[in-house]
Amino acid sequence: MTTPLDMLHQPYWMTMGPMIVVAATGFVVMILEFIFRKGDRRWLTVLSMLGVVAALVVAIIHFNAKPTFALNTIGVDPFASVFSVLILISALLVLLFTLDFSAKSDVPAEHTYLILFAVVGALTMASSIDLVTLYVGLELLSVASYVLVAVRTHSIRSVEGGIKYMLMGALGSAVLLYGMSFIYGISGTTNLMNLSGAGLQMFSTYPAITVIGFLMMLIGMGFKLSLVPFHMWTPDAYAGAPTPITSFLATLSKAASFGMLLRMLVFIFNAPGAHLFYWAGIIAAITMIVGNFIALPQRNMKRLLAFSSVAQAGYILVPFAMFGIAQSADWAGLFDSISFYLFAYTFMTVGAFAIVYLLERDKGSLDSDALIGLYQRSPWLAVALTIFVLSLAGMPLTAGFLGKFYIFVDTMHFSTIWLGVILFATSVVSFYYYIGWLRKVYQKEPVAEVTALSASPIMHTLVAVCVIGTLALGIVPALLLHPLAGLPWIYG
Amino acid sequence: MSLSFWLVAAPLIAAVLLLVLPKMGGAASRGLAIVGTLVSLVLAIVMWLSFPSGSTGFEFIGKIHWFTLPAMWHGTDLSVGLSFGVDGLSLPLAAMTAFISVLAMAGAKRDIDRPRLYYFWLSMVTAGLLGVFAALDLFTFLVALEVTLFGSFFLIQLFGRPGSPKAAIKFLIYRGFATVAMLVALVGIAYGLTGAYSHSGISGNLSFSIPTMLNEAHHLSSGILPAGVAGALLLVLLLGVFIEEAFVPFHTWLPTTHEYADTPTNMVIGGLLTKTGAYVLLRFGVGMLPAQIQHYGMLIAVFGVINILYGAFAAWAQKDWRRLIAFGGISHMGLVLLGIASFSAAGLQGAMFMIVSSGLLTALLFFLTGAIEDRTNTVQLKDLGGLSKAMPMISGFLLVAALGSLGLPLTSGFISEIQAFIGGFTAYPAASFVGLGGLILSAVYLLYAIQKTTFGPTAKLAEGLSDATAREYLPTILLTAFVLLIGIYPNLIGHLFGLSVQGLLGIGG
């Protein structure tokens, strides 16, 4: 038992540094927002970004720290470090995005600190090893996200998206919690470290309940990750939310949820997992197929990216199916392919949303016809969009191809080649709608006079960072692949 | 850096320059693209002349280490790099690629809309094709294959005839699936040969190096890769090759593509891009899974004969020259399958000859019909007629190309068909006998089309048309010259093919 005195002597700074920094920034920004009600308040967003940068520095300082846990609950280990860095980088991109957005629209300033609190939740999901704190982190992220989606209270679509997201999200949380309660019921503990040792015995004593627990946790998180058939809320929430928030849902929220799912499933079900993890493969296959086919007829750019992100979640879920087959010595490769793809996915998705946002603002429409003539209006943004779209489609020399290829090599080795085949075959289907965009980008605008597409320096910076990220991970993937594969993911 | 590296890099550098140099007009863009590909052509000739006699392996090898995939299940990291080299099989194909591409660029019309973008994509496709033929690393090969896929897509999409976007999407989807099937099969073969079932035991390191894979395949004759796995891999590979080569029933994309693409694109797609599948089958199928090729020989041979006949019948039924040439190409490539299925020296050599011959003749036919279309605005057989009076030179060359296609002696078509059939008859006489019908049919459909086009009463639209211009003479004469040269002196490319056939049969025998 931890006594109150022990609680004072925990290594909080080392284990929770990034969370403390981001949460403190969130409170400061919240108070400042109350005080300064007038004028241009974009400096609040800049302040938030500084807080996130500070948290990133703290996370990197402790990156290689020996696995340590405060109160046996929250801590730092390679898994937490990688996902914290990923979450903080995408938070930085999203905040940069909102910096431009809040200057141009009437969105309430609350969204800045709401994003920060959501980041705290996401960091908790990445670095917690207790089901209770994991769930608290998830709820913190989710509740903040519901509000963020519906933040434009005067827009009916925004509110509709927010309500749908909240209903489906709450359902997912409930299912997840129910699944967790089964695991607690048969093991008597919520601590992942204890559960990881108890797995085999648990399974042999209560096989049916273990299976139910596994599936409920997978399905619960499936709602958050918009896996098929739990994806219904995705297009409405994505289309209704302000575009920076959409990019937040698509990247940061997804990365944190994948981190949490991975941590839970691998820690709890490692021993009996051989056939349990196969369920993840089946859901991945359904998600890839349905996500890509349903995206085909979409004309609304944000809805199309929503379905594309459903399909992308399917790709990322593929390595999950192999945890049951692979020996724990080989898990590093699977962790590597999942986290590499998440990094790649973050850059290309934020970049694509950034350009969609510029077009949406310029044309006042989300129809994909807004893409027509983009190459004439801004060659640089057209080329950038080409890179993002080709990366999402999986064209060589981009991060997306390498991520897929690496996952494919995994499936080859772990005798789940059918998933690899579905992965690449559905990618071909996705060519159709991604290339449809490119066709319009390079099509000539019918009007005689071509107006340049205006974008602020902030947006140019954001797009440039995403282009560099997408290309760098595609051309010199060793930058990230090797450090990630070399980490001691499995310890103790 | 080795010669084969620059062979691929030269058009790529030209493409990049086209993209970054400001203010490039039509003539300057074309000039730059031609220079890039011409460098490749010169390098290919240099390698040809200095190719070590008697070498059955890869020469002029150049490697650049790119990155490694972290080791997951065995000792060392999986090295991925850019690696190029040529052997007796790939050098003639690479030379043909540079040759046809240069002529396609030089013969292109001068009034192309957005010339910079056009020659950029044309150079990219050329570089991709050279990369496909010269790649010695699986990753390099797959990247090059995707470059050809997207490059051709944009050429069809952006510069085709009205309605081309639909054809471009069809092209992309079909060939995209072909690429996926090949990716699965090739990575599977690499894994099967060098990873899991390596002759040196479990510790075998997965390698994407094509020479290493070929080497392992050689040891495999002792039967380490389970026959079932190898058979499944070959069937997946065949699926990819069949789509890539537009074999029945996966053929519909090719006629549509040719119908909508412009002339230089048609020369590159018809003459070169549709030959990559046959190359893959020779390199990876015959080279790495020889026992399975023999095991499924009957299947391949029957498929080949079906395509010979179907292609010929379908060509006969066409009313559009471009679709006719497309189906004629399918018929020719069916003969390649028959030659490969025979798994004999003559058959394999015939298949290789047929790839080159069909490439040259298809490009020539597309160029000439393109020249006719420039003047008459149509390639519909019913609208044409009596062109020989107005344009005797174009009509004459068209006749030569048609005669070459139907396999007249002293043309490259003859030497290809005779060898492929000799090979076919030794292994599958019945199938080959049926396939002979294709020879007769090819004479029927080609001469019928020629008669409709050049002879007969002069059609109204043929009046007052001019004959070939200087721009058109260059590709026409050079392509015709090589068709005849190979027909008269086959050993020109035969000695290189002979070397690689020895290499391939050495493994299989």
Side-chain angles (χ1 to χ4, degrees), chain A residues 330 333 336 390 395-397 401-402 405-406 408-410 412-413 417 421 424-425 428-429 431-432 435 438-439 442 444 474-475 477-478 481-482 485, chain B residues 66-70 72-73 77-78 113-114 139 142-143 146-147 149-150 153-154 157-158 165 169 172-173 176-177 180 183-184 187-188 191 206 208:
Chain A
D330 295 332
D336 190 12
L390 289 181
M395 169 77 179
L397 300 184
F401 175 75
L402 218 98
F405 189 76
Y406 197 31
F408 177 76
V409 176
D410 281 350
M412 188 66 98
H413 180 68
I417 180 70
V421 172
F424 272 108
V428 174
V429 176
F431 286 174
Y432 182 84
I435 297 293
L438 293 190
R439 204 169 78 202
Y442 293 95
K444 278 189 178 167
I475 296 169
L481 277 180
H482 280 272
Chain B
W66 186 357
F67 61 89
T68 53
L69 290 176
M72 293 187 304
W73 54 86
D77 293 343
L78 171 59
D113 185 32
R114 285 184 285 177
F139 197 84
L142 292 168
V143 169
E146 296 256 352
V147 170
L149 174 67
F150 279 89
F153 167 79
F154 280 110
Q157 156 90 41
L158 296 172
I169 290 286
L172 187 74
I173 298 289
F177 273 111
V180 172
L183 178 91
V184 172
V187 176
Y191 185 71
L206 181 62
F208 280 170

Side-chain angles (χ1 to χ4, degrees), chain A residues 419-455:
Chain A
L419 274 175
V421 172
I422 294 179
L423 195 161
F424 272 108
T426 52
S427 304
V428 174
V429 176
S430 77
F431 286 174
Y432 182 84
Y433 54 82
Y434 288 129
I435 297 293
W437 274 26
L438 293 190
R439 204 169 78 202
K440 289 184 175 166
V441 167
Y442 293 95
Q443 201 174 329
K444 278 189 178 167
E445 208 171 14
V447 294
E449 214 165 296
V450 178
T451 49
L453 180 65
S454 68

Side-chain angles (χ1 to χ4, degrees), chain A residues 236-320:
Chain A
D236 291 315
Y238 276 35
T243 312
I245 302 306
T246 313
S247 75
F248 163 89
L249 293 180
T251 60
L252 194 151
S253 163
K254 215 164 244 194
S257 303
F258 265 119
M260 177 169 160
L261 181 65
L262 188 57
R263 172 94 88 175
M264 285 192 312
L265 298 189
V266 171
F267 270 74
I268 303 176
F269 302 98
N270 53 9
H275 51 281
L276 282 183
F277 282 93
Y278 230 71
W279 285 103
I282 291 166
I283 292 192
I286 298 172
T287 305
M288 289 188 282
I289 294 169
V290 174
N292 275 313
F293 275 98
I294 220 167
L296 289 177
Q298 293 301 326
R299 288 187 62 86
N300 181 309
M301 292 189 284
K302 267 161 91 175
R303 291 180 81 90
L304 188 139
L305 281 180
F307 284 118
S308 130
S309 91
V310 169
Q312 301 277 340
Y315 304 149
I316 304 173
L317 196 64
V318 167
F320 281 72

